[in-house]
Short mmCIF file of all heavy atoms in Angstrom, two decimals:
data_model
loop_
_atom_site.label_atom_id
_atom_site.label_comp_id
_atom_site.label_asym_id
_atom_site.label_seq_id
_atom_site.Cartn_x
_atom_site.Cartn_y
_atom_site.Cartn_z
N HIS A 1 4.42 1.20 10.93
CA HIS A 1 5.64 2.00 11.26
C HIS A 1 5.09 3.23 12.11
O HIS A 1 4.17 3.83 11.72
CB HIS A 1 6.27 2.54 10.05
CG HIS A 1 7.73 2.99 10.26
ND1 HIS A 1 7.95 4.21 10.91
CD2 HIS A 1 8.90 2.57 10.04
CE1 HIS A 1 9.21 4.38 11.02
NE2 HIS A 1 9.83 3.36 10.47
N SER A 2 5.76 3.49 13.20
CA SER A 2 5.41 4.74 14.02
C SER A 2 6.07 5.89 13.34
O SER A 2 7.17 5.82 13.18
CB SER A 2 5.80 4.56 15.40
OG SER A 2 5.15 3.41 16.06
N ALA A 3 5.34 6.89 12.96
CA ALA A 3 5.73 8.19 12.42
C ALA A 3 7.22 8.19 12.12
O ALA A 3 8.06 8.64 12.93
CB ALA A 3 5.32 9.31 13.43
N GLY A 4 7.45 7.91 10.83
CA GLY A 4 8.85 8.00 10.36
C GLY A 4 9.14 9.06 9.46
O GLY A 4 8.51 10.20 9.59
N THR A 5 10.06 8.83 8.55
CA THR A 5 10.39 9.85 7.57
C THR A 5 10.16 9.44 6.12
O THR A 5 9.81 8.31 5.91
CB THR A 5 11.96 10.15 7.64
OG1 THR A 5 12.75 9.04 7.27
CG2 THR A 5 12.37 10.50 9.13
N SER A 6 10.28 10.34 5.21
CA SER A 6 10.05 10.05 3.75
C SER A 6 11.18 9.01 3.27
O SER A 6 10.88 8.39 2.22
CB SER A 6 10.00 11.20 3.00
OG SER A 6 11.23 11.82 2.90
N SER A 7 12.17 8.75 4.12
CA SER A 7 13.13 7.73 3.57
C SER A 7 12.83 6.35 4.02
O SER A 7 13.47 5.36 3.81
CB SER A 7 14.57 8.14 4.06
OG SER A 7 14.71 8.16 5.37
N GLN A 8 11.65 6.23 4.72
CA GLN A 8 11.24 4.90 5.21
C GLN A 8 9.85 4.60 4.57
O GLN A 8 8.93 5.48 4.70
CB GLN A 8 11.01 4.99 6.74
CG GLN A 8 12.33 5.21 7.53
CD GLN A 8 12.08 5.76 8.95
OE1 GLN A 8 11.34 6.56 9.18
NE2 GLN A 8 12.81 5.06 9.84
N TYR A 9 9.77 3.50 3.82
CA TYR A 9 8.58 3.14 3.12
C TYR A 9 8.37 1.66 2.97
O TYR A 9 9.39 0.86 3.05
CB TYR A 9 8.46 3.92 1.76
CG TYR A 9 9.70 3.72 0.93
CD1 TYR A 9 9.75 2.63 0.14
CD2 TYR A 9 10.72 4.62 0.92
CE1 TYR A 9 10.89 2.37 -0.84
CE2 TYR A 9 11.75 4.42 0.09
CZ TYR A 9 11.94 3.23 -0.79
OH TYR A 9 12.96 3.10 -1.62
N GLY A 10 7.13 1.24 2.74
CA GLY A 10 6.81 -0.08 2.29
C GLY A 10 6.53 -0.04 0.86
O GLY A 10 5.93 1.02 0.42
N GLU A 11 6.86 -1.04 0.08
CA GLU A 11 6.66 -1.02 -1.29
C GLU A 11 6.10 -2.32 -1.93
O GLU A 11 6.54 -3.41 -1.52
CB GLU A 11 7.98 -0.67 -2.01
CG GLU A 11 7.90 -0.42 -3.56
CD GLU A 11 9.10 -0.13 -4.07
OE1 GLU A 11 9.45 1.23 -3.97
OE2 GLU A 11 9.96 -0.91 -4.57
N TRP A 12 5.06 -2.21 -2.71
CA TRP A 12 4.45 -3.41 -3.31
C TRP A 12 4.84 -3.27 -4.77
O TRP A 12 4.43 -2.43 -5.48
CB TRP A 12 2.96 -3.42 -3.16
CG TRP A 12 2.43 -3.50 -1.72
CD1 TRP A 12 2.19 -4.74 -1.09
CD2 TRP A 12 2.34 -2.37 -0.80
NE1 TRP A 12 1.68 -4.31 0.18
CE2 TRP A 12 1.79 -2.97 0.43
CE3 TRP A 12 2.41 -1.03 -0.93
CZ2 TRP A 12 1.55 -2.17 1.46
CZ3 TRP A 12 2.15 -0.27 0.25
CH2 TRP A 12 1.69 -0.85 1.37
N ARG A 13 5.58 -4.30 -5.28
CA ARG A 13 6.15 -4.34 -6.65
C ARG A 13 5.77 -5.74 -7.37
O ARG A 13 6.64 -6.50 -7.40
CB ARG A 13 7.55 -3.96 -6.75
CG ARG A 13 8.08 -3.73 -8.07
CD ARG A 13 9.59 -3.44 -8.05
NE ARG A 13 9.96 -2.20 -7.46
CZ ARG A 13 10.20 -1.11 -8.22
NH1 ARG A 13 10.13 -1.17 -9.47
NH2 ARG A 13 10.53 0.00 -7.57
N PRO A 14 4.58 -6.01 -7.92
CA PRO A 14 4.26 -7.15 -8.48
C PRO A 14 4.88 -7.29 -9.89
O PRO A 14 5.21 -6.29 -10.42
CB PRO A 14 2.85 -7.21 -8.45
CG PRO A 14 2.46 -5.82 -8.79
CD PRO A 14 3.49 -4.94 -7.98
N THR A 15 4.65 -8.53 -10.47
CA THR A 15 4.90 -8.68 -11.83
C THR A 15 3.56 -8.68 -12.47
O THR A 15 2.58 -9.64 -12.26
CB THR A 15 5.58 -9.98 -12.08
OG1 THR A 15 6.81 -10.05 -11.50
CG2 THR A 15 5.78 -10.28 -13.55
N LEU A 16 3.21 -7.66 -13.29
CA LEU A 16 1.99 -7.55 -13.99
C LEU A 16 1.94 -8.33 -15.26
O LEU A 16 2.89 -8.27 -16.05
CB LEU A 16 1.58 -5.98 -14.14
CG LEU A 16 1.47 -5.19 -12.89
CD1 LEU A 16 1.29 -3.77 -13.22
CD2 LEU A 16 0.35 -5.80 -12.00
N PRO A 17 0.79 -9.07 -15.52
CA PRO A 17 0.81 -9.92 -16.74
C PRO A 17 0.42 -9.23 -17.98
O PRO A 17 0.88 -9.80 -19.09
CB PRO A 17 -0.36 -10.85 -16.42
CG PRO A 17 -1.31 -10.18 -15.43
CD PRO A 17 -0.32 -9.29 -14.75
N PHE A 18 -0.03 -8.06 -18.00
CA PHE A 18 -0.45 -7.36 -19.33
C PHE A 18 -0.17 -5.97 -19.21
O PHE A 18 -0.11 -5.28 -18.25
CB PHE A 18 -2.06 -7.45 -19.52
CG PHE A 18 -2.53 -8.90 -19.33
CD1 PHE A 18 -3.39 -9.23 -18.23
CD2 PHE A 18 -2.28 -9.94 -20.32
CE1 PHE A 18 -3.84 -10.50 -18.16
CE2 PHE A 18 -2.82 -11.08 -20.20
CZ PHE A 18 -3.50 -11.44 -19.13
N THR A 19 0.12 -5.29 -20.39
CA THR A 19 0.23 -3.87 -20.51
C THR A 19 -1.22 -3.22 -20.73
O THR A 19 -1.92 -3.85 -21.45
CB THR A 19 1.11 -3.46 -21.74
OG1 THR A 19 2.40 -3.93 -21.49
CG2 THR A 19 1.09 -2.03 -21.85
N GLY A 20 -1.58 -2.26 -19.93
CA GLY A 20 -2.88 -1.66 -20.10
C GLY A 20 -3.24 -1.00 -18.88
O GLY A 20 -2.50 -0.64 -17.86
N SER A 21 -4.57 -0.79 -18.69
CA SER A 21 -5.19 -0.10 -17.53
C SER A 21 -5.50 -1.14 -16.40
O SER A 21 -6.03 -2.19 -16.69
CB SER A 21 -6.44 0.65 -17.83
OG SER A 21 -6.11 1.69 -18.79
N TYR A 22 -5.17 -0.80 -15.24
CA TYR A 22 -5.52 -1.51 -13.97
C TYR A 22 -6.19 -0.63 -13.06
O TYR A 22 -5.68 0.48 -12.81
CB TYR A 22 -4.17 -2.12 -13.40
CG TYR A 22 -3.48 -3.20 -14.11
CD1 TYR A 22 -2.76 -2.95 -15.21
CD2 TYR A 22 -3.72 -4.46 -13.69
CE1 TYR A 22 -2.04 -3.98 -15.88
CE2 TYR A 22 -3.11 -5.58 -14.34
CZ TYR A 22 -2.31 -5.25 -15.39
OH TYR A 22 -1.70 -6.37 -16.04
N ALA A 23 -7.26 -1.15 -12.34
CA ALA A 23 -7.81 -0.49 -11.17
C ALA A 23 -7.01 -0.87 -10.06
O ALA A 23 -6.49 -2.10 -9.86
CB ALA A 23 -9.21 -0.97 -10.98
N VAL A 24 -6.54 0.08 -9.23
CA VAL A 24 -5.66 -0.23 -7.98
C VAL A 24 -6.49 -0.02 -6.76
O VAL A 24 -7.14 0.93 -6.61
CB VAL A 24 -4.36 0.87 -8.06
CG1 VAL A 24 -3.56 0.49 -6.91
CG2 VAL A 24 -3.67 0.65 -9.41
N TYR A 25 -6.23 -1.02 -5.89
CA TYR A 25 -6.90 -1.08 -4.57
C TYR A 25 -5.92 -1.21 -3.40
O TYR A 25 -4.93 -1.98 -3.58
CB TYR A 25 -7.95 -2.21 -4.43
CG TYR A 25 -8.92 -2.11 -5.47
CD1 TYR A 25 -8.72 -2.70 -6.82
CD2 TYR A 25 -10.26 -1.50 -5.18
CE1 TYR A 25 -9.76 -2.56 -7.74
CE2 TYR A 25 -11.30 -1.54 -6.13
CZ TYR A 25 -11.06 -2.04 -7.43
OH TYR A 25 -12.02 -1.91 -8.31
N ILE A 26 -6.03 -0.51 -2.27
CA ILE A 26 -5.26 -0.63 -1.18
C ILE A 26 -6.04 -1.30 -0.11
O ILE A 26 -7.29 -0.95 0.07
CB ILE A 26 -4.89 0.77 -0.64
CG1 ILE A 26 -4.15 1.56 -1.71
CG2 ILE A 26 -3.93 0.69 0.62
CD1 ILE A 26 -2.83 1.23 -2.21
N TRP A 27 -5.50 -2.28 0.60
CA TRP A 27 -6.23 -3.03 1.76
C TRP A 27 -6.06 -2.11 2.95
O TRP A 27 -4.92 -1.90 3.33
CB TRP A 27 -5.68 -4.37 2.01
CG TRP A 27 -6.38 -5.03 3.12
CD1 TRP A 27 -6.00 -5.11 4.36
CD2 TRP A 27 -7.70 -5.77 3.05
NE1 TRP A 27 -6.98 -5.80 5.09
CE2 TRP A 27 -7.98 -6.15 4.25
CE3 TRP A 27 -8.48 -5.97 1.92
CZ2 TRP A 27 -9.23 -6.86 4.55
CZ3 TRP A 27 -9.68 -6.73 2.24
CH2 TRP A 27 -9.92 -7.23 3.55
N LYS A 28 -7.22 -1.73 3.50
CA LYS A 28 -7.27 -0.93 4.79
C LYS A 28 -7.65 -1.84 5.79
O LYS A 28 -8.59 -2.54 5.90
CB LYS A 28 -8.28 0.14 4.69
CG LYS A 28 -8.31 0.95 5.85
CD LYS A 28 -9.46 1.95 5.71
CE LYS A 28 -9.87 2.61 7.02
NZ LYS A 28 -10.12 1.72 8.21
N MET A 29 -6.71 -1.91 6.85
CA MET A 29 -6.99 -2.75 8.03
C MET A 29 -8.01 -2.20 8.98
O MET A 29 -8.43 -1.16 8.73
CB MET A 29 -5.61 -2.88 8.76
CG MET A 29 -4.66 -3.77 8.01
SD MET A 29 -3.18 -4.31 8.82
CE MET A 29 -2.13 -2.79 8.57
N ASN A 30 -8.22 -2.84 9.97
CA ASN A 30 -9.21 -2.32 11.06
C ASN A 30 -8.79 -0.93 11.50
O ASN A 30 -7.69 -0.63 11.56
CB ASN A 30 -9.28 -3.35 12.28
CG ASN A 30 -9.87 -4.74 11.78
OD1 ASN A 30 -10.65 -4.70 10.93
ND2 ASN A 30 -9.39 -5.77 12.44
N ASN A 31 -9.77 -0.28 12.11
CA ASN A 31 -9.60 1.17 12.50
C ASN A 31 -9.13 1.20 13.98
O ASN A 31 -9.55 0.45 14.80
CB ASN A 31 -11.03 1.82 12.52
CG ASN A 31 -11.57 1.81 11.14
OD1 ASN A 31 -10.96 1.97 10.22
ND2 ASN A 31 -12.88 1.69 11.16
N TYR A 32 -8.02 2.06 14.21
CA TYR A 32 -7.49 2.15 15.53
C TYR A 32 -7.14 3.71 15.60
O TYR A 32 -6.67 4.23 14.62
CB TYR A 32 -6.19 1.35 15.65
CG TYR A 32 -6.58 -0.09 15.79
CD1 TYR A 32 -6.61 -0.98 14.81
CD2 TYR A 32 -6.94 -0.70 17.22
CE1 TYR A 32 -6.96 -2.26 14.95
CE2 TYR A 32 -7.33 -2.00 17.22
CZ TYR A 32 -7.25 -2.86 16.15
OH TYR A 32 -7.67 -4.17 16.36
N ALA A 33 -7.25 4.20 16.80
CA ALA A 33 -7.00 5.64 17.02
C ALA A 33 -5.43 5.87 16.85
O ALA A 33 -5.08 7.10 16.59
CB ALA A 33 -7.43 6.11 18.47
N SER A 34 -4.53 4.86 16.88
CA SER A 34 -3.23 5.08 16.82
C SER A 34 -2.70 5.18 15.37
O SER A 34 -1.55 5.51 14.97
CB SER A 34 -2.48 3.88 17.46
OG SER A 34 -2.86 2.65 16.86
N ALA A 35 -3.68 4.93 14.36
CA ALA A 35 -3.31 5.02 13.02
C ALA A 35 -3.43 6.37 12.41
O ALA A 35 -4.04 7.30 12.99
CB ALA A 35 -4.25 4.10 12.12
N THR A 36 -2.85 6.57 11.35
CA THR A 36 -2.69 7.95 10.76
C THR A 36 -4.04 8.22 10.05
O THR A 36 -4.70 7.42 9.58
CB THR A 36 -1.55 7.98 9.68
OG1 THR A 36 -1.46 9.37 9.22
CG2 THR A 36 -1.63 7.15 8.55
N THR A 37 -4.34 9.49 9.85
CA THR A 37 -5.43 9.95 8.98
C THR A 37 -4.88 10.36 7.63
O THR A 37 -5.62 10.82 6.73
CB THR A 37 -6.06 11.19 9.72
OG1 THR A 37 -5.12 12.23 9.84
CG2 THR A 37 -6.70 10.81 10.98
#
C-alpha cells in the first residue's frame, strides 16, 4: 500500500491451536528504496 492512513491496514488473524506463549515473526520481503523505514 502506498502511504495510506491508519484506517487502512492488513490483518493476519489465524486460528491458534493452544493457549499460551507464542514467538511471533513477521516476513520481511526483499529490500527496495520505495519501502517504508
